[in-house]
Amino acid sequence: MKNAVTLLFFFISLMGNSQTNDSFDIASFAVPEAWKKEVKTSVVSYTKTSNAKGGYCVIAVYKSIESLGSIEKIIITNGKNW
């Protein structure tokens, strides 16, 4: 049992070395290495491309907004910002 716990902590520490911690608005998260960061007023995005395979991935974190009571009101009021 002791060996299993030691091994678990070893793997967790290895995973932590390949990521950096970041935050935006109310969110905190770990960002893998080699992802390109782009910051705008209401969104931060991270992009990773693979030229060899012709693929890409984009992850976006949007700024929180105050609830107006219904999704329809939120879209009408804040739709221009999206």
Side-chain angles (χ1 to χ4, degrees):
M1 180 68 179
K2 185 176 180 181
N3 290 338
V5 172
T6 304
L7 189 60
L8 176 66
F9 282 114
F10 173 73
F11 283 119
I12 290 173
S13 67
L14 286 178
M15 291 183 339
N17 290 337
S18 64
Q19 299 177 347
T20 59
N21 292 326
D22 203 352
S23 63
F24 180 72
D25 195 31
I26 62 171
S28 297
F29 43 89
V31 180
E33 289 182 11
W35 283 63
K36 180 184 170 194
K37 180 180 180 178
E38 183 179 349
V39 179
K40 295 185 179 177
T41 305
S42 61
V43 63
V44 61
S45 62
Y46 296 89
T47 306
K48 176 74 174 177
T49 58
S50 173
N51 294 333
K53 296 182 180 181
Y56 67 93
C57 180
V58 178
I59 299 174
V61 179
Y62 289 87
K63 184 177 178 181
S64 63
I65 58 174
E66 185 177 337
S67 174
L68 299 174
S70 72
I71 191 68
E72 292 83 9
K73 289 180 183 177
I74 293 171
I75 292 172
I76 291 168
T77 304
N78 296 303
K80 294 177 185 176
N81 296 333
W82 294 349

